[in-house]
Amino acid sequence: LDAVEPFDCIAFTGSADTGRMIRSHPAVLAANPRVGIEADSVNVAVLAPSATPENAAFERLLEQALAAVSVKAGQLCTNIRRILVPADVKDAFVEALATRIDGLVVGDPALPEVTVGPLVDERQLRAAFAGLAALAPETRTVRGGGIPAAVHGADVGEGAFLAPTLLVADTGVRLSAVHDVEVFGPVVTVIPYASL
């Protein structure tokens, strides 16, 4: 960063701590280049109050939520982490998403039938478990939450496997960790809301 100049552009994705270090670097402060940082994102998807289980938006959100726990084992910085749904359709949404998660195949991503591979490494798996522990007081686990009992085409003890995890907050009020902690893996949290 010492070489940065006014017309440079810095793009970073990763931890908020590193993002703060980049923003506060003396050369960045002096040159004032364009800085784009995505850090520790806890992205949200919101189902409109008018959506019902028969609605196309309901189905589309189910597809996106399933992708959030399967594509790259949930390790996308732009991934959905929180799903806000109207309280009156929460149970239907959770049930439908849980059923789809049950159809995912965890294992060796080189195999065509596998839909969820391992996390990057053991360090990331430990970080995911720490994040799940932080979310536990505010949520209940509907699916996953640990190492799968078995994986397809791989040794569960040889990879950093985390079962696709569906968490649910029973109420949308007085939540803190759910809005601040990103579990960088196949984890989504459904949160009901009563009104806009």
Side-chain angles (χ1 to χ4, degrees):
L1 293 175
D2 289 338
V4 73
E5 296 181 3
F7 292 103
D8 288 341
C9 178
I10 299 170
F12 171 76
T13 183
S15 76
D17 289 339
T18 303
R20 277 189 290 281
M21 183 273 300
I22 291 169
R23 282 192 181 105
S24 63
H25 190 280
V28 173
L29 292 172
N32 197 25
R34 186 182 329 169
V35 178
I37 293 177
E38 184 188 331
D40 295 343
S41 59
V42 189
N43 297 318
V44 66
V46 180
L47 188 63
S50 59
T52 65
E54 299 78 31
N55 189 290
F58 189 94
E59 176 63 29
R60 183 71 175 132
L61 185 53
L62 283 171
E63 292 169 4
Q64 293 301 306
L66 191 66
V69 296
S70 59
V71 174
K72 296 186 179 180
Q75 297 172 107
L76 296 167
C77 291
T78 56
N79 216 355
I80 298 169
R81 303 295 175 195
R82 297 170 297 152
I83 302 169
L84 276 69
V85 299
D88 61 337
V89 299
K90 177 194 83 169
D91 291 341
F93 187 86
V94 168
E95 182 179 334
L97 184 53
T99 298
R100 291 180 187 211
I101 287 173
D102 290 343
L104 295 173
V105 179
V106 179
D108 180 352
L111 300 174
E113 62 273 21
V114 170
T115 50
V116 181
L119 298 182
V120 160
D121 56 26
E122 288 292 324
R123 181 174 171 236
Q124 187 57 49
L125 183 61
R126 287 191 302 276
F129 282 131
L132 287 170
L135 297 178
E138 298 177 0
T139 63
R140 62 184 166 84
T141 304
V142 175
R143 290 294 186 276
I147 296 172
V151 295
H152 190 74
D155 181 348
V156 72
E158 293 294 318
F161 292 101
L162 177 62
T165 301
L166 172 57
L167 305 175
V168 177
D170 288 322
T171 177
V173 297
R174 287 187 292 279
L175 297 176
S176 176
V178 166
H179 298 301
D180 292 331
V181 175
E182 178 187 20
V183 180
F184 199 61
V187 179
V188 294
T189 303
V190 175
I191 306 163
Y193 69 86
S195 68
L196 292 177

